[in-house]
């Protein structure tokens, strides 16, 4: 009988889960969302979202993966044969994400190298457009960008090597990929807050506007951020917990991982907003005019700030992109391991075969994104996968486990293992609060998408990059379910 992979230690498992949760989202998404949704007051909504939905879902995924000893597809198959496709759907959401996540890592590689010479010059926006060959519309394909492709290939080599022997390798790699970015975040917090003008940025970041808590949009932003940030809904946590030994704590681990992730988000805000305060002062503009999130922050605003630091600019440049790379890589390989584990569970293939094939397919799917229009497509896919794919998976988990399978079974199972127990409140969150919030999120988003296309992209591009991907999820899920399993 084939023996399941096991984590070398509890620390390896905790670090790997933290590594998956802590990613680019903590640095380039959280601080901005916080500022835009009420600053310090947003922290209240965010903590409520964490305790009423984020942590309960993480406990659900850990409990399910551990009880069923299988990746998402296998775990749902064991819940009920008819649900296997749903597990595949969660895995597919993760798979599509890693296809473009690796492209962003490639940008980071390129920028890490550009840092040595501060190659972006004064007009960082123009430089970024040139680097990726950005075009005006998704249908204007643009040229193939060799260096972006080489960066993508490099990313994939690192990702595949990190999951080489499954969690045995992951458990070792995460010591570096979690601790290095933590150290670098501390470096950038110190650098950020000691710059002249930093205080203006920090005030901006955290000045509470309690009135905003009355707006539903602020609460939705809090819940979305929590789901995305904790990496629940991609099958990752299900796969990771399935490699835990039989006697393992669940509840305590879920709390530790969630808290570490949130603390990192909160602190990263100091690094980002400290630097933005300095930058605003330098340009003589209000902070509100210089704030940015996402790729714009990392590849346009921040390089400009780096060039204007008082000393050691190239060093800070290299360290900044190394920070992004080390933040991203453990999120990326967690996604790959979630896919590979599902494939191994069903068809009993070796690590070598699964890792190389998952890596190769994802690399190929990423190639179109290395063309000029790549970032535009990336943006569309990212929006739809996260707003619809992820919410649908989390909603499905709440319904299938909360109502069909019975949340009580997972609660009792988890309590029999954990240092401290969860009460009936957990069932209440899983069966009512989380699904209601998710349903609300999906409906609000649907309404927006009916009124206008995402970011004004042509409807056809929105369909191909967005809706089609969402429609393909259950279809491919069902196909994978129907393929005959191998072995026992
Ligand atoms: N949680 C990661 C972040 O905050 C993002 C991520 C999403 C990672 C999905 C893996 C899977 O950046």
């Amino acid at each position: 009988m084939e023996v399941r992979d096991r984590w070398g230690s509890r620390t390896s498992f905790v670090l790997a889960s933290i590594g998956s949760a802590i990613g680019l989202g903590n640095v380039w998404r959280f601080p901005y969302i916080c500022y835009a949704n009420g600053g310090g007051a947003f922290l209240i909504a965010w903590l409520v979202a964490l305790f009423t939905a984020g942590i309960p879902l993480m406990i659900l995924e850990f409990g399910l993966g551990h009880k069923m000893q299988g990746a998402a597809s296998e775990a749902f198959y064991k819940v009920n044969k008819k649900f296997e496709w749903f597990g595949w759907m969660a895995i597919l959401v993760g798979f599509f994400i890693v296809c473009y996540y690796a492209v962003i890592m490639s940008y980071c590689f390129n920028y890490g190298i550009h840092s040595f010479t501060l190659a972006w010059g004064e007009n960082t926006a123009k430089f970024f457009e040139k680097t990726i060959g950005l075009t005006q519309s998704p249908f204007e394909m643009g040229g193939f960008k060799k260096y972006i492709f080489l960066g993508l290939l490099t990313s994939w080599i690192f990702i595949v090597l990190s999951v080489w022997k499954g969690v045995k390798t992951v458990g070792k790699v995460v010591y570096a990929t979690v601790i290095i970015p933590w150290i670098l975040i501390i470096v950038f917090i110190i650098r950020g807050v000691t710059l002249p003008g930093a205080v203006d940025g920090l005030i901006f970041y955290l000045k509470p506007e309690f009135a905003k808590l009355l707006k539903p949009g602020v609460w939705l932003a809090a819940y979305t951020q929590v789901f995305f940030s904790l990496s629940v809904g991609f099958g990752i946590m299900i796969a990771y917990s399935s490699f835990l030994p039989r006697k393992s704590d669940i509840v305590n681990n879920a709390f530790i991982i969630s808290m570490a992730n949130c603390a990192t988000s909160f602190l990263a805000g100091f690094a980002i907003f400290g630097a933005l305060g300095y930058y605003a002062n330098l340009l003589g503009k209000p902070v509100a005019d210089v704030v940015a999130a996402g790729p714009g922050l990392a590849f346009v605003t921040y390089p400009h700030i780096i060039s204007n630091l008082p000393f050691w600019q190239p060093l800070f440049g290299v360290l900044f992109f190394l920070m992004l790379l080390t933040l991203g890589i453990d999120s990326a390989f967690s996604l790959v391991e979630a896919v590979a584990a599902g494939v191994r569970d069903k068809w009993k293939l070796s690590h070598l075969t699964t890792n190389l094939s998952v890596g190769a397919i994802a690399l190929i799917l990423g190639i179109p994104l290395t063309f000029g229009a790549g970032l535009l497509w990336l943006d569309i896919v990212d929006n739809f996968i996260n707003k619809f794919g992820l919410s649908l998976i989390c909603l499905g988990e709440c319904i299938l486990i909360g109502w069909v399978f019975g949340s009580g079974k997972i609660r009792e199972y988890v309590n029999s293992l954990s240092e401290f127990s969860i009460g009936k409140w957990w069932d209440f969150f899983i069966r009512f609060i989380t699904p209601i919030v998710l349903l609300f999120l999906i409906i609000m988003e649907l309404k927006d998408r009916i009124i206008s296309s995402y970011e004004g992209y042509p409807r056809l591009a929105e369909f191909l990059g967005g809706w089609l991907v969402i429609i393909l999820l259950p279809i491919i899920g069902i196909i994978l379910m129907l393929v005959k399993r191998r072995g026992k």
Side-chain angles (χ1 to χ4, degrees):
M1 199 188 123
E2 157 264 1
V3 187
R4 194 164 188 79
D5 291 351
R6 295 289 167 204
W7 294 102
S9 67
R10 175 176 179 178
T11 315
S12 288
F13 163 74
V14 170
L15 281 181
S17 309
I18 290 180
S20 173
I22 300 181
L24 298 173
N26 299 61
V27 170
W28 83 22
R29 196 162 187 276
F30 173 79
Y32 179 84
I33 298 281
C34 179
Y35 137 79
N37 290 286
F42 178 75
L43 299 177
I44 297 175
W46 182 59
L47 287 174
V48 170
L50 181 70
F51 285 100
T52 58
I55 295 179
L57 265 176
M58 187 175 282
I59 294 175
L60 184 154
E61 292 206 350
F62 280 166
L64 181 67
H66 193 252
K67 183 173 165 71
M68 302 303 178
Q69 292 285 297
S73 44
E74 195 67 12
F76 278 99
Y77 170 79
K78 287 184 181 166
V79 166
N80 184 327
K81 281 193 175 100
K82 281 188 294 214
F83 299 157
E84 185 188 331
W85 65 275
F86 179 78
W88 284 115
M89 222 172 113
I91 289 179
L92 283 165
V93 166
F95 178 71
F96 285 126
I97 290 184
V98 76
C99 292
Y100 67 75
Y101 215 81
V103 177
I104 298 186
M105 286 175 61
S106 162
Y107 294 179
C108 295
F109 271 117
N110 278 275
Y111 267 73
I113 292 170
H114 291 318
S115 299
F116 285 99
T117 54
L118 305 177
W120 44 75
E122 271 310 297
N123 193 340
T124 52
K126 199 148 185 205
F127 182 82
F128 180 54
E129 284 168 22
K130 212 179 84 206
T131 307
I132 64 168
L134 192 63
T135 58
Q136 296 292 321
S137 114
F139 295 115
E140 196 186 316
M141 182 114 170
F144 170 69
K145 285 289 162 184
K146 188 172 75 194
Y147 290 105
I148 303 295
F149 172 75
L150 288 177
L152 181 65
L153 190 63
T154 316
S155 306
W156 274 108
I157 293 174
F158 276 103
I159 295 171
V160 170
L161 287 179
S162 307
V163 293
W164 196 247
K165 289 191 176 159
V167 295
K168 284 268 171 299
T169 320
V170 169
K172 297 191 187 111
V173 176
V174 287
Y175 279 87
T177 59
V178 173
I179 293 172
I180 294 173
W182 266 343
I183 295 175
L184 291 173
I185 288 177
I186 295 173
V187 169
F188 279 95
I189 292 173
I190 297 173
R191 178 63 289 191
V193 300
T194 53
L195 286 165
V199 180
D200 295 342
L202 298 184
I203 291 176
F204 225 78
Y205 172 38
L206 291 176
K207 195 175 79 204
E209 287 179 70
F210 289 101
K212 285 218 170 162
L213 289 181
L214 297 174
K215 294 195 178 163
V218 169
W219 288 87
L220 293 182
Y223 276 90
T224 325
Q225 175 61 19
V226 162
F227 291 134
F228 177 75
S229 192
L230 290 185
S231 297
V232 288
F234 307 94
I236 298 171
M237 298 305 176
I238 302 181
Y240 272 6
S241 62
S242 76
F243 301 122
L244 279 171
R246 266 296 170 205
K247 273 183 80 68
S248 298
D249 180 276
I250 301 284
V251 179
N252 208 0
N253 283 343
F255 273 87
I256 294 173
I257 293 160
S258 310
M259 298 314 231
N261 175 55
C262 289
T264 309
S265 293
F266 178 64
L267 291 176
F270 287 81
I272 297 299
F273 273 90
L276 287 174
Y278 165 70
Y279 188 53
N281 266 17
L282 197 78
L283 301 184
K285 288 185 180 168
V287 181
D289 286 4
V290 299
V291 288
L297 171 74
F299 304 114
V300 177
T301 310
Y302 221 90
H304 208 191
I305 298 178
I306 289 168
S307 295
N308 285 291
L309 288 178
F311 54 85
W312 298 351
Q313 296 98 333
L315 177 68
F316 280 111
V318 173
L319 292 182
F320 180 73
F321 292 105
L322 181 67
M323 174 177 85
L324 295 186
L325 272 172
T326 48
L327 278 171
I329 189 164
D330 37 18
S331 302
F333 65 63
S334 68
L335 292 165
V336 173
E337 182 56 23
V339 183
V343 174
R344 287 200 310 268
D345 281 348
K346 179 155 183 175
W347 293 290
K348 313 285 178 244
L349 297 169
S350 67
H351 285 290
L352 188 71
T353 320
T354 39
N355 291 339
L356 290 182
S357 30
V358 173
I361 299 173
L363 171 68
I364 292 169
L365 289 178
I367 291 177
L369 301 178
T370 62
F371 283 73
L375 184 61
L376 304 174
W377 288 103
L378 191 158
D379 186 28
I380 300 174
V381 179
D382 176 62
N383 178 69
F384 277 75
I385 277 273
N386 284 305
K387 298 267 174 62
F388 294 104
L390 177 60
S391 322
L392 283 170
I393 301 291
C394 292
L395 179 64
E397 284 183 350
C398 292
I399 296 172
L400 293 183
I401 301 300
W403 294 90
V404 182
F405 181 68
S407 50
K409 286 192 211 152
I410 295 281
R411 174 168 39 82
E412 279 159 23
Y413 177 76
V414 161
N415 283 345
S416 72
L417 292 167
S418 303
E419 284 164 35
F420 63 91
S421 310
I422 45 173
K424 289 250 169 64
W425 55 265
W426 180 79
D427 302 61
F428 178 70
F429 290 147
I430 288 294
R431 293 170 59 140
F432 296 98
I433 303 294
T434 312
I436 289 172
V437 171
L438 283 163
L439 205 60
F440 198 60
L441 268 174
I442 295 170
I443 292 171
M444 297 280 281
E445 192 60 30
L446 258 180
K447 199 185 93 204
D448 283 354
R449 286 298 66 81
I450 290 169
I451 296 173
S452 64
S453 75
Y454 169 64
E455 295 278 316
Y457 284 110
R459 284 287 189 189
L460 181 61
E462 184 189 52
F463 174 76
L464 294 174
W467 297 118
L468 192 61
V469 174
I470 302 298
I471 298 168
L472 280 175
L473 296 173
I475 297 180
I476 307 180
I478 292 172
I479 295 175
L480 290 172
M481 173 171 91
L482 296 176
V483 180
K484 211 162 128 33
R485 45 184 59 233
R486 249 187 61 193
K488 192 184 77 68

